[in-house]
Structures are given as C-alpha cells and as structure tokens.
Amino acid sequence: MAFRIELNALTRWRIMSARTFCTHAPCFNVTMKRSEQPSNHIKSREVDLTIKTNVPEDESLKCHKPKKIKTALLLGYNGSEYSGMQTNPGVKTIEGELFEAVCKAGYVSKMNSDNPKKIQLLRAARTDKGVHAFCNVVSLKMICLNNQVAEKINAFLPSDIRVWGHVETLNSFNAKDNCDSRIYEYLLPSYALQDLTNKDWSDVPKSDRDIQIPTKDSNSIRYKSPTNPQKLLEYRVDIERFNKFNEAINSFKGTHNYHNYTKGKIFEHKAANRYIIQIDVEKPKIIEGMEWISVKIHGQSFMIHQIRKMIAMAILCVRTNTPLSIIPKTFEKNKINIPKAPALGLLLDRPVFQCYNKRVKEEFEGKKAIDFDLYKDEIEQFKRKSIYDNIFNQERKHQIFDTFLITTSSHIETDYIYFNKEGVIP
C-alpha cells in the first residue's frame, strides 16, 4: 500500500534525527533521518514515501493510544480499616486500594497510574472513616475491558473490598452527578435508648477497661467502668421508647437546614439544606442474644457526619426525656454542638441511578443500566459475613455504643444542655 505524506519545509526541518513515530500494531513504523545539509530538504514541499504494511488503510491512521472506555465499577467494602472512601494522600482509603488494584490489573496505562484524576475517577457516595458499604459506584476510564473485569481487579484487592461487576456507561457518565439519591442503614443496639446511667465516676481507674472522661476544662480525667455486658444483652426496649425514637428520627424527613449536623457549614450556606426522602425504622430483632434496631435513611445527598448526628440526636432525646420539639429548633440559626453516634453502625446500602437508567433504556440501545440486583447473592453473602458479623462482634468485644453513651452522658449538663425536659436551647 502506498500513500502520500505532505510536509511543509518548516515541519521537515524540525523533524528530529532517527525519530520513531509509533510502535503500536495498528499504526506504522517509519524512520526519517535529518540530512547534514538541511537546505536539500527545503527545495520541495512534498515527499513520497512508500510504506509496506498489512494494516488496512482506514486503521493505519488511528492513534496508537489504547482506547479508554467510560465505566462504572460496582463495589462493596468493610470500612473498619480505612480512613474513608475518598483518596487522601498519606492515609489508607478505599479509593486508594481500588485505584492501585485497577492499575495492577492492567486497566490503566502506566502514564496515568500516578494520579486517579487522570482517569476521571469519581464516587457516587463519599463514606467517612470506618463506614461500610454494601454497594457503591465509582466511575472512571478504563482500557481493554473484558468479561473478567471484577475477577481481575479482585485478585489485587484485600478481602474487605469487593468489586461486584462493571458497566460500560455513556461517555458523559459521572458517578457523583448522575446519582439521584443515596440509601443508608444505621444499626444500633436497643440498649442505647435506655435512661441515662448514674454518674458514679471516680478519680482513679478501677480496671484497665475503665472509660476515660476528661472534664470540660480538660485539666483532669475521670473514670467510669463499662456497663456489665450481661445487662446489655438482656435489655429489651419497651414500645413507648421505641415509638418515641421512631418519631424522633422521622422528624428529619423533608428539606431542612443541617448546619448543626455537619462541620464547616453556617446557617446561611445553601449547601446546608438537604432533602430526606424516606426514613424507615424496623422493629427490634434479637441477633446473637442482643437486641438491635435497623434504620434506613433515603436522602438526596448527605454531608459529612450528618447521619451519625441525626441518630445521636434521636437517641439522646429518648434517653434524656427531652421533648421532640427540640429537633425543629436545631434547623434554626442557633449554633449547637451535636455529638456523633459511632461510625460502626453506619452503612451505605446503595446509591440510586433511576434517571440515568431510564435514559439509557429509552435512548441508548445496547447500553446497560446500573443494577446491583444482578449480584444480589454475592452482595448478601458479603453483607452477612464481612459487615453485619463484624458490627455485632465489635460491639460485643469492645462495647462501642456503651462507651459512646457513657462519654456523652457525662457531658449532658455542660456541652449538651439543650437536652432538657423543657426542650429549650439556652
């Protein structure tokens, strides 16, 4: 096959000695050497080159760079050992582990393997430190896709992070922006709803398991023994307390200003307004001898610490017999300090892509929707063994909720004085 390459004089003068244009199979190799007398090359504006190649003419002009395909990776993880989802230099994160695995599996070029931004990596939901996910979505550009994407990536991932599958998406797909809403679950032991504990603190520890409680001025430390584990196992919430908790947490439905439920936001920030679509509280269940309550929260989007502070507010309203009229007041301008419930109980159930899936189905034949139900068996197994069991075991072993409740209760009369029987923010 022969064809003509037209070069102007200036371009030819700049061609470097013995430069190879490309070594990729779909392209061609050619070497051009600069003459010792450049003037010989400026006399003509055209040069005929006959190149022998087996590549069809329409493919010979293609770029040698491998094609990158916009992809959605569907994954789940146990966040106990990680400092959150989002990449953060110097700390261990879910995205950091995932990006490294994708590179090792050969789906990212060496040139782009030093920075996830080069492959447009974005997540549907940014989970905080210690927070788990049954299902999350990451969008990125990958090369050389095949049917074994999940298997190959999982081979380079730790067992507490699993890729369920992948979807070739529209080029415009963005996991964050195309996500309509997020569904979270929060698990708490029902003993969290019992009355405040007695203030039998001591100035010296009675055992190495005693909980340290700093005074308000932080000049001294007080100690309190953890609750007897058998009492925690035996506790069963009564219907009155359960109903009050249910009513308290459902007070967050709708659009409200959550500047008191996150950090770095003031009342005037529009971004502090968030829309909660639905909240469901399941009836208590006995799991391995302890009673647990599951709360499902479906919202458009959430800010850092928002759900944990919502749960803490509902818990403490029940524990302190504070009227639920206090909750609407927390959406007002007054700044108050709301504690965070333990990260242990928070799980991302799944992000929702209803609008994107509808558009793909109606307008793009051949493109697939983002559907976690295709992997429901693997997800359910991972959920039970790697997340639920871990939560229950951690609570039994370390009494994490008990520590939170004891610590918080010790500051009710100093830092959280709005928890009172009048429901008044001083």
Side-chain angles (χ1 to χ4, degrees), residues 209-243:
R209 296 186 68 245
D210 278 9
I211 300 166
Q212 297 185 19
I213 304 172
T215 57
K216 185 175 183 180
D217 56 14
S218 300
N219 289 332
S220 60
I221 299 291
R222 294 175 296 180
Y223 300 88
K224 182 169 175 44
S225 299
T227 306
N228 186 323
Q230 191 60 33
K231 289 185 177 180
L232 301 180
L233 285 171
E234 293 174 353
Y235 182 83
R236 300 294 181 263
V237 67
D238 59 65
I239 190 65
E240 183 180 354
R241 287 181 176 275
F242 175 78
N243 287 342

Side-chain angles (χ1 to χ4, degrees), residues 17 68 113 129 144 157 212 239 248 292 331 376 378 389:
S17 175
K68 289 183 285 188
S113 64
K129 180 179 179 180
C144 305
L157 283 171
Q212 297 185 19
I239 190 65
W292 289 81
F331 305 139
K376 61 182 180 181
E378 301 102 299
D389 286 354

Side-chain angles (χ1 to χ4, degrees), residues 185-188 190 193 237-239 242-243 245-246 280-287 290-296:
E185 180 178 13
Y186 195 93
L187 291 171
L188 65 148
S190 67
L193 302 181
V237 67
D238 59 65
I239 190 65
F242 175 78
N243 287 342
F245 174 76
N246 190 0
D280 295 304
V281 182
E282 294 184 4
K283 292 182 178 180
K285 293 181 180 179
I286 308 298
I287 302 173
M290 181 174 286
E291 189 175 63
W292 289 81
I293 298 172
S294 170
V295 182
K296 290 283 185 68

Side-chain angles (χ1 to χ4, degrees), residues 403-423:
T403 300
F404 161 72
L405 296 169
I406 290 174
T407 304
T408 304
S409 298
S410 68
H411 295 287
I412 290 293
E413 296 179 354
T414 54
D415 296 332
Y416 313 121
I417 54 178
Y418 52 86
F419 288 114
N420 53 65
K421 293 182 180 181
E422 292 75 32

Side-chain angles (χ1 to χ4, degrees), residues 66-77:
K67 183 180 179 181
K68 289 183 285 188
I69 301 172
K70 199 62 171 292
T71 308
L73 289 181
L74 286 61
L75 71 154
Y77 48 85

Side-chain angles (χ1 to χ4, degrees), residues 8-64:
N8 62 39
L10 182 59
T11 300
R12 293 168 55 202
W13 171 253
R14 290 176 175 172
I15 294 176
M16 302 197 54
S17 175
R19 177 174 178 178
T20 302
F21 283 84
C22 180
T23 59
H24 191 61
C27 304
F28 58 88
N29 281 338
V30 59
T31 301
M32 298 183 68
K33 296 184 178 180
R34 186 175 60 190
S35 169
E36 294 180 358
Q37 296 181 351
S39 59
N40 293 339
H41 290 274
I42 307 178
K43 293 179 181 178
S44 174
R45 295 182 60 85
E46 295 183 355
V47 56
D48 288 330
L49 297 176
T50 301
I51 303 164
K52 295 180 179 180
T53 175
N54 294 323
V55 181
E57 184 171 354
D58 59 336
E59 292 187 14
S60 65
L61 298 178
K62 288 183 180 179
C63 177
H64 73 281

Side-chain angles (χ1 to χ4, degrees), residues 283-311:
K283 292 182 178 180
K285 293 181 180 179
I286 308 298
I287 302 173
E288 298 183 15
M290 181 174 286
E291 189 175 63
W292 289 81
I293 298 172
S294 170
V295 182
K296 290 283 185 68
I297 302 177
H298 184 186
Q300 196 171 55
S301 62
F302 298 91
M303 296 178 287
I304 186 170
H305 304 325
Q306 180 183 336
I307 294 177
R308 292 168 62 190
K309 285 176 176 280
M310 289 164 56
I311 294 291

